[in-house]
Amino acid sequence: MLFRSINAKVIIIDEAPHKLYMGYQNLQADLYLAGDTNATLRLLVEAVKAEKISPSKLKERKDKWSAAHERLEEKRRNAEAEAKKKSGITPVLLASTLAEGLPGNTIYLDETTVHGGINRRHVGNQGPQSYIAPRSGLGQGMGISAGVKLACKDRPVTLLVGDGAFLYNPAVQTLGFARDEKTPFMTIVYNNKGYRAMRENQRSYYPGGLGEQHKLFYGEPTNEFAYEDVAKLFGGHGAKVSDPAKLKSTLQTAAEAVAGGKSAIVNVDLID
C-alpha cells in the first residue's frame, strides 16, 4: 500500500506492475510504466533534461526539499539525543548505535515489524544494497541472511529481528548451515518480551477496549529464553545486553566474532 500525498502523482515502474499471480494488490498509482526499470529511469532522466527547466525553478525546488530534508534530519538527531538520556536501551538508541558501531559496508536484513520505521530512519542509508526488508511473512530472516552472506562473502551481514519473529526462524538449521558453509552472520534480537505487533494491532483496532483496560492482549506473550545461547551450540558467539553504556562495545565484539568466522546472536533488552 502506498501512502498518498494530495500534491503528488504516483508512478510505478516495473517489468510487470500488475502481479496477476497475487490475490490482492493495493498500489493506488496514477500511472503504470511497464518495462525495464534501469532503462526506463535513464530515458526519464534524458526526457527531463530535454525539457530545459529554468535554473531558477530548479534552485527553488532544490531549496524547498533541502529544507524539508534538514527538518527530518533535525528530528532524527533530536530523537537520538533523547534516547541517550534514557536509563535503558530504546529501539532508537539500538538502531543509531548499529549505524555508528558496525562496519560501514554492513548489509542489514530487517525482519522487525513495529521497529521497521525506526530502523530505516536511524540505521540510515548505508549505500547500495545495504538494506533488505523481506515482507512476505515472518521466519525468513535467518535463511535469507545466510544466503546474502553466501552471495556477498566480503561484506558483513546483520539480521534485525524481534524476539517474537526470532521464534519463527529455523535458527538451528540456519546456524548449522552457516557454520558448515562458512557464511557467518550476526543476529540482533530486539527483545521487547512479546509479540508487540499483536498488542499494537489490538490497540489500533479497539482503542480503549477490554484488552487495553485489563492489559490482556491475546497472542502477545512469548516463552522467553536465552536467545543468545543458540549461537553457542554451533560454536558461535552469544551475548546479552541491557546497559546502554555497554551496547556499542557488545555489538562491536560480536562483529569481531563474525569477522573471525563465527555467527553471533546479540540479545538486546529494550525498554520500549
Coordinates of all heavy atoms in Angstrom, one line a residue, residues 89-120:
I89 N 17.9 0.7 27.1 CA 18.1 0.7 25.7 C 16.8 0.9 24.9 O 15.9 0.0 25.1 CB 18.9 -0.5 25.2 CG1 20.2 -0.6 25.9 CG2 19.1 -0.5 23.7 CD1 20.9 -2.0 25.6
T90 N 16.6 1.9 24.2 CA 15.4 2.1 23.4 C 15.7 1.6 22.0 O 16.9 1.5 21.5 CB 15.0 3.6 23.3 OG1 16.0 4.3 22.6 CG2 14.8 4.2 24.7
P91 N 14.7 1.4 21.2 CA 14.9 1.0 19.8 C 15.7 2.0 19.0 O 16.5 1.7 18.1 CB 13.5 0.8 19.2 CG 12.6 0.5 20.4 CD 13.2 1.2 21.5
V92 N 15.4 3.3 19.3 CA 16.2 4.4 18.6 C 17.6 4.3 18.9 O 18.5 4.4 18.1 CB 15.6 5.8 19.0 CG1 16.5 6.9 18.5 CG2 14.2 5.9 18.4
L93 N 18.0 4.1 20.2 CA 19.4 4.0 20.6 C 20.0 2.8 19.9 O 21.2 2.9 19.5 CB 19.5 3.9 22.1 CG 20.9 3.8 22.7 CD1 21.7 5.0 22.3 CD2 20.9 3.5 24.2
L94 N 19.3 1.7 19.9 CA 19.9 0.5 19.3 C 20.2 0.7 17.8 O 21.3 0.4 17.3 CB 18.9 -0.7 19.5 CG 19.3 -2.0 18.8 CD1 20.7 -2.5 19.1 CD2 18.3 -3.1 19.1
A95 N 19.2 1.3 17.1 CA 19.4 1.5 15.6 C 20.5 2.4 15.4 O 21.4 2.2 14.5 CB 18.1 2.0 15.0
S96 N 20.6 3.5 16.1 CA 21.6 4.5 15.9 C 23.0 4.0 16.3 O 24.0 4.3 15.6 CB 21.3 5.8 16.6 OG 21.2 5.6 18.0
T97 N 23.1 3.2 17.3 CA 24.3 2.6 17.7 C 24.8 1.5 16.7 O 26.0 1.4 16.4 CB 24.2 1.9 19.1 OG1 23.7 2.9 20.0 CG2 25.6 1.4 19.6
L98 N 23.9 0.8 16.1 CA 24.3 -0.1 15.0 C 25.0 0.7 13.9 O 26.0 0.3 13.3 CB 23.0 -0.8 14.4 CG 22.5 -1.9 15.3 CD1 21.1 -2.3 14.8 CD2 23.4 -3.1 15.3
A99 N 24.3 1.8 13.5 CA 24.9 2.6 12.4 C 26.3 3.2 12.7 O 27.2 3.3 11.9 CB 23.9 3.8 12.1
E100 N 26.4 3.5 14.0 CA 27.7 4.1 14.5 C 28.8 3.1 14.7 O 30.0 3.3 14.4 CB 27.4 4.9 15.7 CG 28.7 5.5 16.4 CD 28.4 6.2 17.7 OE1 27.2 6.4 18.0 OE2 29.3 6.4 18.5
G101 N 28.4 1.9 15.2 CA 29.4 0.9 15.7 C 29.8 -0.2 14.8 O 30.9 -0.7 14.9
L102 N 28.9 -0.5 13.8 CA 29.2 -1.6 12.9 C 29.9 -1.1 11.6 O 29.8 0.1 11.3 CB 27.9 -2.4 12.5 CG 27.2 -3.1 13.6 CD1 26.1 -4.0 13.1 CD2 28.2 -3.9 14.5
P103 N 30.6 -2.0 10.9 CA 31.3 -1.6 9.7 C 30.4 -0.9 8.7 O 29.2 -1.3 8.6 CB 31.8 -2.9 9.2 CG 32.0 -3.8 10.4 CD 30.8 -3.4 11.3
G104 N 30.9 0.1 8.0 CA 30.1 0.9 7.1 C 29.5 0.1 5.9 O 28.6 0.5 5.2
N105 N 30.1 -1.1 5.6 CA 29.7 -1.9 4.4 C 28.7 -3.0 4.8 O 28.5 -3.9 4.1 CB 30.9 -2.4 3.7 CG 31.7 -3.4 4.5 OD1 31.7 -3.4 5.7 ND2 32.4 -4.3 3.8
T106 N 28.2 -2.9 6.1 CA 27.3 -4.0 6.6 C 26.0 -4.0 5.7 O 25.5 -3.0 5.4 CB 26.9 -3.7 8.0 OG1 28.1 -3.8 8.8 CG2 25.9 -4.7 8.5
I107 N 25.5 -5.2 5.4 CA 24.2 -5.4 4.8 C 23.2 -5.7 5.9 O 23.4 -6.7 6.6 CB 24.3 -6.5 3.8 CG1 25.3 -6.2 2.6 CG2 22.9 -6.7 3.2 CD1 25.5 -7.3 1.6
Y108 N 22.2 -5.0 6.0 CA 21.2 -5.2 7.1 C 20.0 -5.9 6.5 O 19.4 -5.5 5.5 CB 20.7 -3.9 7.7 CG 21.8 -3.2 8.5 CD1 22.7 -2.2 7.9 CD2 22.0 -3.5 9.8 CE1 23.7 -1.6 8.6 CE2 23.0 -2.9 10.6 CZ 23.8 -1.9 10.0 OH 24.8 -1.3 10.7
L109 N 19.6 -7.0 7.1 CA 18.3 -7.7 6.8 C 17.3 -7.3 7.9 O 17.6 -7.6 9.1 CB 18.5 -9.2 6.8 CG 19.0 -9.9 5.6 CD1 17.9 -9.9 4.5 CD2 20.3 -9.4 5.1
D110 N 16.2 -6.7 7.6 CA 15.3 -6.2 8.6 C 14.0 -7.0 8.6 O 13.2 -6.9 7.7 CB 15.0 -4.7 8.3 CG 14.2 -4.1 9.5 OD1 13.8 -4.8 10.4 OD2 14.0 -2.8 9.5
E111 N 13.9 -7.8 9.7 CA 12.6 -8.6 9.8 C 11.8 -8.2 11.0 O 11.0 -8.9 11.5 CB 13.0 -10.1 9.9 CG 11.8 -11.0 9.6 CD 12.0 -12.5 9.6 OE1 13.0 -12.9 10.3 OE2 11.2 -13.3 9.1
T112 N 12.1 -7.0 11.5 CA 11.3 -6.4 12.6 C 9.9 -6.0 12.0 O 9.8 -5.8 10.8 CB 12.0 -5.2 13.2 OG1 12.1 -4.2 12.3 CG2 13.3 -5.6 13.8
T113 N 9.0 -5.8 12.9 CA 7.6 -5.4 12.5 C 7.4 -3.9 13.0 O 7.4 -3.0 12.2 CB 6.5 -6.3 13.0 OG1 6.7 -6.5 14.4 CG2 6.6 -7.7 12.2
V114 N 7.2 -3.8 14.3 CA 6.9 -2.5 14.9 C 8.1 -1.5 14.8 O 8.0 -0.3 14.9 CB 6.4 -2.6 16.3 CG1 5.1 -3.3 16.3 CG2 7.4 -3.2 17.2
H115 N 9.4 -2.0 14.6 CA 10.5 -1.2 14.6 C 11.1 -0.9 13.3 O 12.2 -0.3 13.1 CB 11.6 -1.9 15.5 CG 11.2 -2.0 16.9 ND1 11.3 -3.3 17.6 CD2 10.7 -1.2 17.8 CE1 10.8 -3.1 18.8 NE2 10.5 -1.9 19.0
G116 N 10.4 -1.3 12.2 CA 10.9 -1.1 10.9 C 11.2 0.3 10.5 O 12.2 0.7 10.0
G117 N 10.2 1.2 10.8 CA 10.4 2.6 10.5 C 11.6 3.2 11.3 O 12.3 4.0 10.7
I118 N 11.7 2.8 12.5 CA 12.9 3.3 13.3 C 14.2 2.9 12.7 O 15.1 3.7 12.6 CB 12.7 2.8 14.8 CG1 11.6 3.5 15.5 CG2 14.0 3.0 15.6 CD1 11.3 3.0 16.9
N119 N 14.2 1.7 12.3 CA 15.5 1.2 11.7 C 15.8 2.0 10.4 O 17.0 2.3 10.2 CB 15.4 -0.3 11.3 CG 15.4 -1.2 12.6 OD1 15.9 -0.8 13.6 ND2 14.8 -2.3 12.5
R120 N 14.8 2.2 9.6 CA 15.1 2.9 8.3 C 15.6 4.3 8.6 O 16.4 4.9 7.9 CB 13.9 2.9 7.4 CG 13.6 1.6 6.8 CD 12.4 1.6 5.8 NE 11.2 1.9 6.4 CZ 10.4 0.9 6.9 NH1 10.8 -0.3 6.8 NH2 9.2 1.2 7.4

